[in-house]
Amino acid sequence: MAELIVALDVSSTNEVRAVLQRLPREVTFYKVGLELYSAEGPTVLSLLRDMGKRVFLDLKLHDIPRTVERAVAAAATHGVDLLTIHASGGRAMMAAAAAAAKSAPRGPRILAVTVLTSMDSSDLVDLGIQRSPEQQVEALGRLAVASGVDGLVCSAKEVGVLRQTLGDGPLLVTPGIRPASTDVGDQKRVATPAAAVKAGASHLVVGRPILDAADPGDAVRRILHEMASA
């Protein structure tokens, strides 16, 4: 069954504590992104781990292989469960990240980001990429899995093709989840929780639809119900 990851789109540990107090106990997986990690560093990771939560550290590492290898090794010392890198960093970089994670005593599972969910065809053209987002995601997804990573971050629009192409092995972590009737914000490739689960996502990442809800706990329960019904 797919798992829900709540994105902590806040900027301080005090806000993290407030979020956790408002959410039900069945939420055990949380994403720490670049904003929060830049503000609080490993302190927020320790806070979550001390509270018995699992951590998805979403830093989208993208550098030369040796630097990424060392960064993955450092992240492993903080007990994170999932860690992101950019697939566009290439085969050698992804292989170095995967090797570093596997050699750590309790290394994270490595997820490669293919195409950001805020991007569409016109954005790829601006970068000189003539493939469609779907084609680019599939090409980078194949390369990432061949390089030894554990899974991919991809939108729900591509998760079905990736699941068919790559099989049941890789994790497919899907952001850009928007329950029916909610605002899509700055995301361009979105889907409902039910659609993402049916397409083959292993994890759904949801932030603003929960954090901005009048009753975050009720928003979580509604999403979990929709995931289970799929």
Side-chain angles (χ1 to χ4, degrees):
M1 181 177 173
E3 290 190 88
L4 173 66
I5 301 175
V6 173
L8 292 170
D9 295 329
V10 297
S11 58
S12 71
T13 53
N14 286 337
E15 291 174 280
V16 169
R17 291 189 182 94
V19 169
L20 267 60
Q21 289 174 355
R22 300 183 69 188
L23 296 185
R25 292 181 180 272
E26 54 261 44
V27 180
T28 62
F29 221 146
Y30 288 88
K31 181 176 82 72
V32 173
L34 192 58
E35 177 187 2
L36 180 56
Y37 192 76
S38 295
E40 297 287 359
T43 299
V44 70
L45 306 181
S46 298
L47 169 65
L48 291 167
R49 298 299 300 177
D50 289 347
M51 298 181 73
K53 307 303 183 181
R54 291 177 290 165
V55 179
F56 171 19
L57 184 56
D58 185 21
L59 299 184
K60 301 182 180 68
L61 302 175
H62 190 171
D63 212 309
I64 63 173
R66 183 60 173 156
T67 298
V68 170
E69 178 184 14
R70 290 177 174 177
V72 171
T77 66
H78 298 297
V80 302
D81 297 270
L82 300 174
L83 177 65
T84 51
I85 62 175
H86 264 296
S88 55
R91 186 187 301 272
M93 189 204 79
M94 289 190 284
K102 288 178 173 60
S103 65
R106 191 185 176 281
R109 289 179 289 179
I110 301 297
L111 304 174
V113 176
T114 52
V115 177
L116 297 173
T117 54
S118 60
M119 300 179 73
D120 59 16
S121 296
S122 64
D123 297 305
L124 293 183
V125 170
D126 287 342
L127 297 174
I129 299 170
Q130 301 306 312
R131 294 173 177 145
S132 68
E134 294 78 12
Q135 291 170 328
Q136 181 72 350
V137 165
E138 185 173 355
L140 290 179
R142 287 178 180 273
L143 177 63
V145 171
S147 301
V149 305
D150 299 286
L152 306 171
V153 177
C154 57
S155 87
K157 300 300 183 182
E158 294 95 32
V159 68
V161 171
L162 288 172
R163 185 59 75 200
Q164 291 176 3
T165 301
L166 302 174
D168 295 333
L171 300 176
L172 296 181
V173 179
T174 305
I177 299 298
R178 294 293 183 269
S181 78
T182 60
D183 182 24
V184 302
D186 59 1
Q187 304 284 357
K188 294 182 179 179
R189 295 173 7 258
V190 301
T192 65
V197 171
K198 288 177 181 177
S202 60
H203 297 74
L204 308 187
V205 181
V206 187
R208 281 170 285 185
I210 292 173
L211 302 189
D212 294 346
D215 185 342
D218 182 64
V220 164
R221 285 185 283 270
R222 288 175 180 273
I223 292 170
L224 291 174
H225 176 74
E226 186 173 347
M227 291 170 65
S229 66

